[in-house]
Amino acid sequence: MMRLGIIGLPNVGKSTLLNALTKADAEVGAYPFTTIDRNIGIVEVRDERLDRLGELLKPEKLTPARVEVVDIAGLVRGASKGEGLGNRFLGHIREVDCVLHVVRLFRDENVAHVEQGIDPRRDVEIINLELALADLDTVAKQIEKTRKAGKTGDAGAEKRLEALGRIEAALNDGTASAAAREDDEIAGVARELFLLTTKPTLYVANCGEEDLSAGQIEGVRILEELAASEGRGVVVVSAKSESELAELSLEECGRFRAELGLEEFDAATVVERGYCLLDLITFYTIVGTETRAWSLIRGTPMVEAAGRIHTDMAKGFIKAEVVSCDRLFELSSWEAAREHGELRIEGRDYVVQDGDVVHVRFHV
Ligand SMILES: Nc1nc2c(ncn2[C@@H]2O[C@H](COP(=O)(O)OP(=O)(O)O)[C@@H](O)[C@H]2O)c(=O)[nH]1
Ligand SMILES: [Mg+2]
């Protein structure tokens, strides 16, 4: 299951955002957002292609992709040096696949700002610096380890050291997230080391309701500029209004939304937009009597995708049979696809594509 972590300075609206998502979906209901505890919720991804696969393949069980959303509190200046239980929280970020970075743009004298005053660039830089420092630590340890391995005659060591050196340099000059986008080798090592800086990240501009209805917000412009330089996206919300709107009936909610000029907001919609901005794809598996959708970061090799389904599938991976769901819709059954020779045989390094229907063969 894809895991999404909400990060940001204290008092920027992280918990309010998670709350709003939970409550909004309690109302809408079709794709429930289940709260596991105060800090974790799960949302099912709305998916027409999966519905069509269900009609076609008639599996006993049809399972949508699920995304887990975790509120990771506690990041402050100095977190990478252990400030405010920093290491523990950084560890939690390491475990997520994608990051929602909430930035405070709302003004409210009653809500203390840990850094005094609204300044999105400063706030983002504080958090990103802590992430980069933690990553530099990880990379330095890895360089040390690889050097030792090189001395005992590990042939791959030199090439790896070179890649690690490039990541280190990019981290030092704040370009690591852009570098990982352009350089597959950097991306691969970054994923392997669970680096924080290179995780797909979406900025959430948490605005005051009064600013939203006024349009054009300076902070949003600044944030968009910054995000663009990193190849990232921005979504604009008012977490507080959303959590209040979620208390209303659907009708009232719709009326207020229209008056305030606010877009639809429920977990499914947010996840859909996030999908695009985070560059996520969906692939499908047929295992026994179950057809199931999975979210994946674009560019992930087959063996890693298989490992997300079950670690045994990665360990014992033999090959995968693959057909795109569009082709499967045309052929109308898995058997027909096989008969027409349309099931491609792909190996461990095949990069999974959006809409692939996959049958993994592995030994246990
Ligand atoms: N005025 C205003 N207050 C907000 C908004 N979003 C969050 N808050 C308030 O800010 C405080 C901190 O929010 P919280 O979600 O707990 O922040 P967290 O520390 O990032 O989890 C709470 O009192 C919220 O009601 C907003 O858009 N406008
Ligand atoms: Mg909180």
Side-chain angles (χ1 to χ4, degrees):
M1 181 165 37
M2 179 69 62
R3 301 185 79 206
L4 214 66
I6 306 181
I7 67 166
L9 289 173
N11 276 354
V12 296
K14 298 182 297 296
S15 304
T16 309
L17 180 71
L18 187 61
N19 252 323
L21 285 171
T22 312
K23 281 197 276 183
D25 279 67
E27 282 292 330
V28 179
Y31 294 88
F33 190 92
T34 319
T35 311
I36 292 180
D37 68 26
R38 203 163 48 79
N39 299 321
I40 303 179
I42 292 179
V43 60
E44 296 186 344
V45 180
R46 184 159 52 197
D47 186 347
E48 276 173 25
R49 290 187 305 201
L50 182 69
D51 297 341
R52 274 188 79 182
L53 281 176
E55 283 164 27
L56 198 72
L57 305 171
K58 305 221 171 4
E60 275 175 31
K61 208 168 161 213
L62 192 67
T63 311
R66 296 198 177 99
V67 178
E68 183 176 299
V69 187
V70 194
D71 177 3
I72 303 171
L75 274 192
V76 290
R77 211 189 266 279
S80 60
K81 298 282 166 277
E83 222 34 69
L85 297 176
N87 289 326
R88 206 173 90 202
F89 298 119
L90 289 165
H92 289 161
I93 304 174
R94 229 172 273 296
E95 290 163 14
V96 302
D97 302 294
C98 300
V99 172
L100 294 181
H101 185 158
V102 181
V103 185
R104 175 165 166 178
L105 293 179
F106 70 85
R107 285 161 216 283
D108 189 336
E109 285 167 11
N110 299 316
V111 180
H113 196 305
V114 280
E115 293 288 334
Q116 314 309 323
I118 303 303
D119 185 343
R121 183 175 289 277
R122 172 205 59 203
D123 289 1
V124 164
E125 279 170 359
I126 289 171
I127 297 281
N128 286 351
L129 178 65
E130 295 305 326
L131 303 183
L133 288 171
D135 284 346
L136 277 167
D137 222 35
T138 307
V139 171
K141 282 188 190 125
Q142 199 62 32
I143 287 177
E144 188 60 33
K145 220 165 128 187
T146 312
R147 278 216 181 98
K148 280 188 191 143
K151 278 185 193 141
T152 59
D154 179 343
E158 200 165 320
K159 188 158 181 285
R160 189 172 168 81
L161 272 177
E162 193 269 330
L164 286 166
R166 275 191 290 146
I167 296 179
E168 192 175 38
L171 282 167
N172 272 318
D173 61 20
T175 57
S177 96
R181 254 167 207 279
E182 283 152 24
D183 187 328
D184 289 345
E185 202 179 7
I186 287 192
V189 178
R191 262 210 308 273
E192 202 185 300
L193 297 180
F194 299 98
L195 296 189
L196 308 171
T197 314
T198 47
K199 284 190 195 285
T201 298
L202 177 62
Y203 292 108
V204 179
N206 187 17
C207 302
E209 166 196 305
E210 59 291 348
D211 298 324
L212 269 190
S213 35
Q216 202 55 32
I217 302 162
E218 175 66 3
V220 172
R221 199 192 52 72
I222 294 171
L223 206 51
E224 278 172 345
E225 199 179 284
L226 195 149
S229 75
E230 300 171 331
R232 291 172 169 169
V234 179
V235 285
V236 181
V237 294
S238 171
K240 188 155 172 250
S241 322
E242 291 302 342
S243 77
E244 287 164 0
L245 279 171
E247 305 277 359
L248 304 176
S249 73
L250 275 180
E251 259 170 67
E252 283 176 305
C253 180
R255 213 172 46 240
F256 276 108
R257 231 173 243 300
E259 272 172 30
L260 295 170
L262 294 176
E263 286 177 49
E264 275 301 308
F265 182 93
D266 59 55
T269 311
V270 172
V271 165
E272 250 162 42
R273 296 189 52 200
Y275 238 68
C276 179
L277 288 161
L278 290 166
D279 216 6
L280 302 183
I281 62 166
T282 304
F283 76 103
Y284 305 90
T285 54
I286 300 175
V287 180
T289 54
E290 184 181 28
T291 299
R292 183 162 178 174
W294 304 85
S295 308
L296 194 69
I297 295 164
R298 191 186 299 281
T300 306
M302 179 62 85
V303 67
E304 239 180 79
R308 302 187 66 97
I309 301 166
H310 201 292
T311 45
D312 286 348
M313 281 198 182
K315 273 192 215 136
F317 184 90
I318 302 169
K319 62 181 180 181
E321 291 169 306
V322 183
V323 61
S324 76
C325 64
D326 286 337
R327 194 70 191 115
L328 196 57
F329 294 147
E330 285 166 13
L331 293 162
S332 76
S333 78
W334 187 262
E335 289 70 31
R338 188 190 302 284
E339 278 163 24
H340 285 80
E342 296 267 353
L343 294 182
R344 302 189 316 269
I345 306 297
E346 303 287 2
R348 53 195 298 124
D349 295 329
Y350 168 75
V351 173
V352 180
Q353 303 295 310
D354 184 45
D356 276 352
V357 186
V358 174
H359 184 207
V360 176
R361 300 208 173 262
F362 64 106
H363 41 233
V364 281

